[in-house]
Amino acid sequence: MKVSVVIPNFNGKHFLNNCLTSLNNQEEFINEVIIIDNGSTDGSQKFIKNKIKDNFNFGINLIENEENLGFSTAVNQGIKDSNCEFVFLINNDVELDKDCISNLIKCINSEEGIFSVASKMIQSDNRKLIDDAGDEYTILGWTKKIGNNKNVSSYKDSREIFSSCAGAALYKKTIFDEIGYFDENFFAYMEDVDIGYRAMIEGYKNVYCPNALVFHIGSGTSGSKYNEFKIKLAARNNIFLPYKNMPILQLIANFLFLLVGFFIKFLFFLSKGYGNDYLDGLFEGLKNLNKIKRTKYKNKNIKNYFKIEAKLILNLFKF
């Protein structure tokens, strides 16, 4: 069984060689590689075209956008252009372990109803530490990278998670047709939590695979852990996410918790010198709620909403 690999790229020429070479080490599981270039100005397109001529035993399809359309739009282009049952989304700043894809395939086939499988992401510059062992979302409106800065020997067991980090995750393509694709209004950040949320509403699962190892540089495109662009965008999307996916009664029930969560986050970013950027992002989200298509409530999914609410509370205590 083979997968379609989808890689969004924006000025990531310096990352691509390691990324593509690590794919070449597991070519038996790859049907095609689709790279979506978001208007790079660093020569990425020329580099990729030259790479295609190298010794790759799978096809590389380059989609060239004239400008940066964002992560969500780029990966949607790749997913829609793919030909396999499974789509493997990876960032350009990752390097894969030789057994990564085969282990992801085993995991997604292990149980009916799995939508996505998250890799065990390890910090590239310190391979003794975890970067991300599955993402969780909380009632305070916070996203958590579970396992961050923990020893790689931790989190050895597969488990259900809230969402898979789209920086290295395998998805079942047919389910996109049911729940929709990545929300392009998000542009980047939180779009993978949103799609995992929508999958759970419909009763599907997102799962963490501890044997699928990926070495991740982190903030390869945005440039740093904290910056004005990233903080404003993430704050805006933190408004979009609950508004889009929570029915009105759930929003009312969780409103005070979300308010407290946003206030604590504001104090945190204020201490980092980004308080105004965070507030700008929140207000931008509120002003643009009319652009967000809310997930349609269905009575048949009411049990799933209660399960999700329980997760939101329990995830406060996961690390």
Side-chain angles (χ1 to χ4, degrees):
M1 186 172 288
K2 295 191 175 185
V3 306
S4 296
V5 179
V6 173
I7 309 172
N9 178 70
F10 176 66
N11 288 337
K13 175 184 173 183
H14 51 301
F15 297 126
L16 287 169
N17 189 63
N18 282 346
C19 180
L20 292 173
T21 300
S22 69
L23 286 173
N24 207 31
N25 293 332
Q26 43 204 309
E27 58 192 316
E28 63 182 298
F29 301 105
I30 298 173
N31 180 65
E32 60 187 348
V33 174
I34 303 168
I35 303 176
I36 307 91
D37 187 80
N38 260 336
S40 294
T41 57
D42 66 343
S44 286
Q45 301 96 328
K46 183 178 179 181
F47 175 82
I48 293 165
K49 290 172 183 176
N50 288 336
K51 265 296 184 185
I52 293 172
K53 299 174 185 177
D54 290 345
N55 298 320
F56 285 96
N57 294 319
F58 44 77
I60 298 182
N61 176 21
L62 174 62
I63 298 173
E64 297 183 67
N65 294 327
E66 293 183 359
E67 58 183 322
N68 188 355
L69 301 178
F71 179 90
S72 300
T73 299
V75 295
N76 283 347
Q77 288 175 287
I79 294 166
K80 292 173 183 177
D81 198 54
S82 64
N83 296 307
C84 292
E85 179 183 0
F86 300 128
V87 179
F88 184 31
L89 302 187
I90 58 173
N91 285 353
N92 55 15
D93 62 343
V94 302
E95 179 184 343
L96 311 182
D97 176 75
K98 62 182 179 63
D99 296 317
C100 178
I101 295 178
S102 63
N103 285 324
L104 287 171
I105 293 172
K106 289 176 186 175
C107 189
I108 205 167
N109 283 325
S110 66
E111 186 180 344
E112 285 293 324
I114 295 177
F115 168 56
S116 72
V117 180
S119 306
K120 185 175 189 176
M121 302 181 79
I122 298 169
Q123 297 177 24
S124 184
D125 60 348
N126 186 346
R127 298 193 175 189
K128 294 181 179 180
L129 299 179
I130 294 173
D131 177 51
D132 193 342
D135 290 343
E136 303 290 0
Y137 183 61
T138 79
I139 197 170
L140 296 178
W142 299 348
T143 302
K144 290 184 176 181
K145 292 169 60 174
I146 299 300
N148 186 239
N149 289 323
K150 300 287 182 66
N151 191 280
V152 290
S153 61
S154 306
Y155 302 94
K156 294 180 179 179
D157 298 324
S158 179
R159 71 183 195 283
E160 191 173 345
I161 56 178
F162 198 94
S163 62
S164 300
C165 173
L170 188 68
Y171 295 85
K172 193 171 290 183
K173 185 178 179 182
T174 54
I175 298 177
F176 284 111
D177 296 328
E178 180 180 348
I179 68 172
Y181 291 78
F182 286 88
D183 192 328
E184 296 179 7
N185 289 297
F186 281 59
F187 190 84
Y189 306 116
M190 304 289 290
E191 73 292 316
D192 45 7
V193 182
D194 168 62
I195 205 158
Y197 201 139
R198 282 185 275 140
M200 287 193 298
I201 289 172
E202 293 297 331
Y204 296 108
K205 294 181 179 180
N206 304 294
V207 175
Y208 161 69
C209 180
N211 298 319
L213 308 183
V214 169
F215 306 100
H216 184 219
I217 292 176
S219 300
T221 297
S222 62
S224 61
K225 185 175 181 180
Y226 302 122
N227 59 66
E228 179 181 342
F229 170 79
K230 187 173 181 179
I231 289 166
K232 287 179 67 173
L233 209 55
R236 184 198 68 178
N237 294 347
N238 264 296
I239 294 290
F240 287 168
L241 184 68
Y243 173 78
K244 176 177 180 177
N245 292 296
M246 291 183 184
I248 294 299
L249 289 178
Q250 190 180 19
L251 268 176
I252 293 171
N254 292 337
F255 178 76
L256 286 178
F257 293 102
L258 291 169
L259 202 61
V260 169
F262 293 151
F263 181 67
I264 294 172
K265 272 290 184 75
F266 165 69
L267 293 179
F268 172 80
F269 285 118
L270 185 65
S271 71
K272 300 287 184 181
Y274 294 104
N276 288 335
D277 298 314
Y278 182 74
L279 286 179
D280 287 345
L282 292 181
F283 287 123
E284 184 180 337
L286 292 170
K287 287 188 295 185
N288 288 282
L289 288 179
N290 62 307
K291 296 180 180 179
I292 300 301
K293 182 179 178 181
R294 284 171 50 80
T295 302
K296 185 177 180 181
Y297 173 80
K298 302 172 187 174
N299 285 331
K300 71 181 182 70
N301 291 331
I302 190 165
K303 288 184 179 179
N304 298 331
Y305 282 107
F306 278 107
K307 289 179 181 178
I308 290 169
E309 184 69 13
K311 286 178 184 287
L312 294 176
I313 296 168
L314 292 173
N315 285 345
L316 280 173
F317 309 101
K318 289 185 179 179
F319 298 97

